[in-house]
Amino acid sequence: MNWPAQNTLLCRDLVQAYPAQLRSYVPVFTTYTDTAFPSDLPSDYGLRVALRYEVGRYFASLERLKRAVSRKALDEAYIAYSDMSLHLDRYLRVGGLYTYYDSVIDNEPLFQEYKDALVHSDPVKNPAEVRDLVVLVRGPDTGRTGIVIGIYPDEKDNCVVKLDKQKGMREIRVVPLAWAAKRLGEQAPDDVFLIPRKPSTIGSSTTSASSVSS
């Protein structure tokens, strides 16, 4: 995949500027892990181990992102970013940091009689790509919408979807690509790939953000 000039923003504004800031969160993760689950009980010990594992995988993915951008390997950068999102999501979930609990375990039966209500392209004939806005048409999250942030290059054909906000949170799902169908019609842009930039004045106009274009 080509690396367009616009995507140098990813290297300059995101990867080169933010890793140090992201790494500065290590004490926050460590303090929360040790404070929320401080005892030697098997339950607390197990949670500490699980949370430390997710933090380790998160920062390993961050290093992969830096290397991918230095090589201008856009697909690898998407995967590394997806893994960062996934491990942070797991940390929040395991650590009990999500602010809500959804008692509905499986949406798919609820949509059996209303599948025509989901407007989407054929996910097999016209599969979604990274940055496509999608609706999940199979599985426990049927009916939920989001954006594809990565596609794993293996035989399983799994993709990573960042779901749209629900009660202020954006969960991450890894699903078969055939479950994520492109939404049809006019859609509001997703801010996942909008990269903040320092304001720059050109004449009388000020630019505050720019979108990474594929």
Side-chain angles (χ1 to χ4, degrees):
M1 183 177 293
N2 293 330
W3 185 275
Q6 295 95 323
N7 282 330
T8 58
L9 295 174
L10 184 64
C11 178
R12 183 179 69 244
D13 294 340
L14 179 60
V15 179
Q16 291 184 348
Y18 293 168
Q21 180 179 349
L22 294 172
R23 284 197 168 279
S24 72
Y25 297 152
V26 170
V28 177
F29 288 124
T30 301
T31 299
Y32 176 77
T33 299
D34 294 342
T35 302
F37 310 101
S39 76
D40 293 327
L41 294 173
S43 57
D44 276 11
Y45 175 77
L47 285 170
R48 287 200 303 274
V49 170
L51 290 172
R52 288 168 182 166
Y53 172 82
E54 298 302 341
V55 171
R57 299 312 302 162
Y58 173 84
F59 286 108
S61 301
L62 175 59
E63 290 301 316
R64 286 168 40 220
L65 177 63
K66 290 169 58 179
R67 292 195 299 270
V69 171
S70 69
R71 297 196 307 270
K72 298 183 179 180
L74 185 56
D75 289 338
E76 293 179 24
Y78 281 140
I79 293 298
Y81 170 71
S82 297
D83 286 342
M84 287 172 58
S85 302
L86 178 62
H87 291 296
L88 179 59
D89 178 84
R90 288 176 176 172
Y91 182 93
L92 297 175
R93 192 178 304 279
V94 172
L97 293 170
Y98 271 110
T99 57
Y100 67 91
Y101 171 74
D102 189 350
S103 60
V104 178
I105 298 175
D106 189 349
N107 286 347
E108 191 166 17
L110 304 178
F111 278 86
Q112 288 298 326
E113 298 181 9
Y114 306 101
K115 282 193 174 182
D116 291 340
L118 301 178
V119 181
H120 57 81
S121 65
D122 187 317
V124 176
K125 296 179 180 179
N126 185 19
E129 298 179 351
V130 174
R131 300 181 60 192
D132 278 338
L133 302 179
V134 297
V135 58
L136 298 182
V137 295
R138 292 184 59 188
D141 292 295
T142 296
R144 296 193 65 179
T145 55
I147 182 172
V148 175
I149 60 174
I151 298 175
Y152 290 118
D154 54 33
E155 296 180 357
K156 294 182 180 179
D157 288 329
N158 284 339
C159 66
V160 184
V161 176
K162 188 164 191 172
L163 298 175
D164 289 340
K165 281 185 181 180
Q166 179 168 310
K167 299 183 180 179
M169 307 295 286
R170 297 197 68 172
E171 299 174 84
I172 304 297
R173 294 289 190 270
V174 178
V175 300
L177 193 56
W179 290 13
K182 289 194 236 183
R183 285 181 264 169
L184 299 178
E186 186 174 352
Q187 305 289 334
D190 195 295
D191 62 1
V192 166
F193 292 107
L194 289 177
I195 298 179
R197 302 176 63 189
K198 293 181 180 179
S200 59
T201 303
I202 302 176
S204 60
S205 63
T206 300
T207 302
S208 60
S210 178
S211 176
V212 175
S213 301
S214 60

